[in-house]
Amino acid sequence: MIRCMAVLIGFVLSTTCCGVVHAQLSASALFCVDVEAALSILPPTVSVISLTHDGTANDQSLGNTLWPCLVNDADGAVVTFSTLTGFSHQTLPLVARDVELTLTIDSADGGAGWSVTTGTDQTDVSAVVPDVVATVQAESTGPGSATFDLEVAFVTGSLATLVPGTYCVTVVGTITAN
């Protein structure tokens, strides 16, 4: 008990001898979150899209495919879909047919300002100077996501020169920040 009393007397003396006990009345800490740049484009969920030609002179649509895109850059982004060639016969690579691309917006974040700037383009593989690239494009003016609807069509042309076999084209989607 004497020992406890000495501690208590020491505490009282230290607080009364030296003045008022000071306490810290405010404090702060800095909390930070690093956000990486987000820029992405995803292909359709099916990696090969195909159909059987109906045997008419009509162009053959391979349907619409959905391509989700995302940008968090304050200035937005540009999304481009391009072919490297027209439709090429898989056994006879010099045999080709035109491809037509059509781009629309399926859905988009309102504040991102997404718009299609080039909605349709087609190759011209039989021209004197062949045009083998078809390109469609959209852009945003701010951050946000969008899902693009891309239609790819096989331009049949003359049925008399339509060589039987499988024709394929690769479409490349790219996204770049503004």
Coordinates of all heavy atoms in Angstrom, one line a residue, residues 20 25 27 34 36 38 45 48 55 57 77 93 102 123 159 165:
V20 N -0.6 22.4 -16.2 CA -1.7 21.6 -16.8 C -1.1 20.5 -17.6 O -0.1 20.7 -18.4 CB -2.6 22.5 -17.6 CG1 -3.7 21.7 -18.2 CG2 -3.1 23.6 -16.7
L25 N -5.2 17.6 -29.2 CA -6.6 17.8 -29.5 C -7.1 17.4 -30.9 O -8.3 17.3 -31.1 CB -7.0 19.2 -29.1 CG -6.8 19.6 -27.7 CD1 -7.1 21.0 -27.4 CD2 -7.5 18.7 -26.7
A27 N -5.7 15.3 -34.7 CA -4.6 14.5 -35.4 C -5.1 14.2 -36.8 O -6.3 14.3 -37.1 CB -4.4 13.2 -34.6
D34 N -4.2 4.5 -55.2 CA -3.7 4.6 -56.6 C -4.7 4.0 -57.6 O -5.0 2.8 -57.4 CB -2.3 4.0 -56.7 CG -1.3 4.8 -56.0 OD1 -1.4 6.0 -55.9 OD2 -0.3 4.2 -55.4
E36 N -5.1 2.9 -61.4 CA -4.4 2.6 -62.6 C -5.3 3.1 -63.8 O -6.5 3.1 -63.7 CB -4.1 1.1 -62.8 CG -3.2 0.6 -61.7 CD -1.8 1.1 -61.8 OE1 -1.3 1.3 -62.9 OE2 -1.2 1.4 -60.7
A38 N -7.4 2.6 -66.9 CA -8.2 1.5 -67.4 C -8.6 1.8 -68.9 O -9.2 2.8 -69.2 CB -9.5 1.3 -66.5
T45 N -17.9 -13.2 -77.1 CA -17.7 -14.3 -76.3 C -17.4 -15.6 -77.1 O -16.8 -16.5 -76.6 CB -18.9 -14.6 -75.4 OG1 -20.1 -14.7 -76.2 CG2 -19.0 -13.5 -74.4
V48 N -15.1 -17.8 -83.0 CA -15.3 -18.0 -84.4 C -16.8 -17.9 -84.7 O -17.6 -18.6 -84.1 CB -14.8 -19.4 -84.9 CG1 -15.1 -19.6 -86.3 CG2 -13.3 -19.6 -84.6
G55 N -26.7 -19.1 -100.9 CA -26.7 -19.4 -102.4 C -27.4 -18.3 -103.2 O -27.6 -18.5 -104.4
A57 N -27.6 -14.0 -104.4 CA -26.6 -12.9 -104.6 C -26.6 -11.9 -103.5 O -25.9 -10.9 -103.5 CB -27.0 -12.2 -105.9
A77 N -11.7 8.2 -75.2 CA -11.0 7.3 -76.0 C -11.5 7.1 -77.4 O -12.6 7.6 -77.7 CB -11.0 5.9 -75.4
P93 N -5.9 -18.7 -101.4 CA -5.8 -17.4 -100.7 C -5.9 -16.2 -101.7 O -6.2 -15.1 -101.3 CB -4.4 -17.4 -100.1 CG -3.8 -18.8 -100.2 CD -4.7 -19.6 -101.1
T102 N -20.3 -2.6 -90.1 CA -21.2 -1.6 -89.7 C -21.2 -1.6 -88.2 O -21.3 -2.6 -87.5 CB -22.7 -2.0 -90.1 OG1 -22.7 -2.1 -91.6 CG2 -23.7 -0.9 -89.7
T123 N -14.4 -3.0 -98.0 CA -13.3 -3.2 -98.8 C -13.7 -3.2 -100.3 O -14.8 -3.3 -100.6 CB -12.6 -4.6 -98.5 OG1 -13.5 -5.6 -98.8 CG2 -12.1 -4.6 -97.0
L159 N -22.4 -14.3 -108.3 CA -22.5 -15.8 -107.9 C -21.7 -16.6 -108.8 O -21.2 -17.7 -108.4 CB -24.0 -16.3 -107.9 CG -24.8 -15.9 -106.7 CD1 -26.2 -16.3 -106.9 CD2 -24.2 -16.5 -105.4
G165 N -16.1 -23.0 -100.9 CA -15.0 -23.2 -99.9 C -15.3 -22.3 -98.7 O -16.4 -21.6 -98.7

